């Protein structure tokens, strides 16, 4: 605060000019002149909005990353099904062809759903629910994995990360990142290894 001896004043925190103390207000504990008040109010609102967005993102970033990881799993499973279906078409006849076509159709569907999951598209929740519901029949491992997928998609946090409002939160918080743990990378590595072994088994069987 500054000014003459008889007229104390304040330096506006926005424009830097000196005004009589009576002609300023305090926003966020800083003096602001009447002309700069609209700009200061807007900056204050944006600051509050960004802080809220950052809190929401941090509260949901782990869930968001888990959902996107499911998209990667769908891509891997789709690669296995499509290759198995393609090999089956060249080696089988009759009922074997029908099974191979079914593999191809499910593989294409999983790619489509995986793209939706990676992009957090709201429409992806329904086909993911259908595929995971079918996957529950794979007792016991399939039941556990697909039960977890259903939780990720249909829990309250799942509803939030698929919402249009959350897309705005993501746009406002590009600096908030999630570091995937080493355990997840090990799990994905093992899954890729299992898929490769499955592909080798299919190729070996088709050449017998």
């Amino acid at each position: 605060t500054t000014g003459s001896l008889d007229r104390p004043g304040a330096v506006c925190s926005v424009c830097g000019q000196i005004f009589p103390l009576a002609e300023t207000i305090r926003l966020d504990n800083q003096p602001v002149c009447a002309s700069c008040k609209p700009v200061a109010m807007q900056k204050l609102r944006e600051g509050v909005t960004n802080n809220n967005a950052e809190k929401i993102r941090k509260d949901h970033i782990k869930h968001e990353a888990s959902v996107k990881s499911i998209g990667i799993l769908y891509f891997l499973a789709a690669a296995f099904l499509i290759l198995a279906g393609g090999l089956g078409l060249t080696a089988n006849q009759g009922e074997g062809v029908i099974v191979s076509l079914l593999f191809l159709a499910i593989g294409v569907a999983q790619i489509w759903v995986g793209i939706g999951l990676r992009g957090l598209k709201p429409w992806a929740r329904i086909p993911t629910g259908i595929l995971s519901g079918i996957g529950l029949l794979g007792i016991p491992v399939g039941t556990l994995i697909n039960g977890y997928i259903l939780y990720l998609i249909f829990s309250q946090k799942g509803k939030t990360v698929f919402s249009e409002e959350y897309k705005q939160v993501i746009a406002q918080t590009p600096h908030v990142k999630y570091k995937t743990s080493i355990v997840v990378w090990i799990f994905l590595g093992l899954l890729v290894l299992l898929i490769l072994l499955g592909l080798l088994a299919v190729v070996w069987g088709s050449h017998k």
Side-chain angles (χ1 to χ4, degrees):
T1 303
T2 185
S4 63
L5 294 176
D6 56 337
R7 293 184 61 193
V11 178
C12 175
S13 61
V14 179
C15 66
Q17 298 184 43
I18 300 175
F19 295 88
L21 197 58
E23 296 180 12
T24 64
I25 62 171
R26 298 192 74 82
L27 289 176
D28 198 23
N29 206 31
Q30 297 291 328
V32 177
C33 70
S35 298
C36 294
K37 178 182 175 181
V39 175
M41 290 290 290
Q42 180 62 29
K43 288 183 177 180
L44 184 61
R45 283 195 294 268
E46 289 177 353
V48 171
T49 300
N50 288 338
N51 288 338
N52 289 342
E54 185 170 323
K55 183 179 185 305
I56 293 172
R57 187 79 188 280
K58 288 181 176 178
D59 288 343
H60 292 79
I61 188 71
K62 184 176 180 180
H63 202 98
E64 173 193 334
S66 297
V67 169
K68 290 181 177 180
S69 296
I70 299 304
I72 295 177
L73 295 181
Y74 273 26
F75 290 154
L76 295 173
F80 171 75
L81 289 172
I82 290 174
L83 184 55
L87 292 173
L89 286 177
T90 61
N92 295 317
Q93 295 180 352
E95 293 182 359
V97 173
I98 296 176
V99 174
S100 298
L101 290 174
L102 181 61
F103 279 4
L104 289 173
I106 295 175
V108 171
Q110 287 189 324
I111 291 176
W112 173 59
V113 176
I115 293 173
L117 290 173
R118 295 290 297 170
L120 300 178
K121 303 296 184 182
W123 58 260
R125 298 176 70 218
I126 300 303
T128 301
I130 294 173
L131 290 173
S132 297
I134 296 172
L136 290 174
L137 300 175
I139 301 171
V141 178
T143 303
L144 293 174
I145 293 176
N146 287 281
Y148 179 60
I149 293 175
L150 290 172
Y151 158 73
L152 289 176
I153 301 302
F154 294 107
S155 66
Q156 185 57 51
K157 284 190 174 181
K159 293 178 182 178
T160 299
V161 299
F162 280 100
S163 67
E164 292 299 324
E165 291 79 9
Y166 192 73
K167 287 183 174 60
Q168 298 176 13
V169 169
I170 293 175
Q172 294 176 33
T173 56
H175 57 285
V176 179
K177 305 293 183 181
Y178 176 73
K179 186 176 181 180
T180 305
S181 68
I182 188 66
V183 176
V184 174
W185 287 118
I186 292 174
F187 174 76
L188 287 175
L190 290 173
L191 185 62
V192 170
L193 179 61
L194 289 174
I195 290 175
L196 290 176
L197 290 175
L199 290 175
L200 288 174
V202 171
V203 172
W204 180 265
S206 66
H207 285 80
K208 283 187 175 181

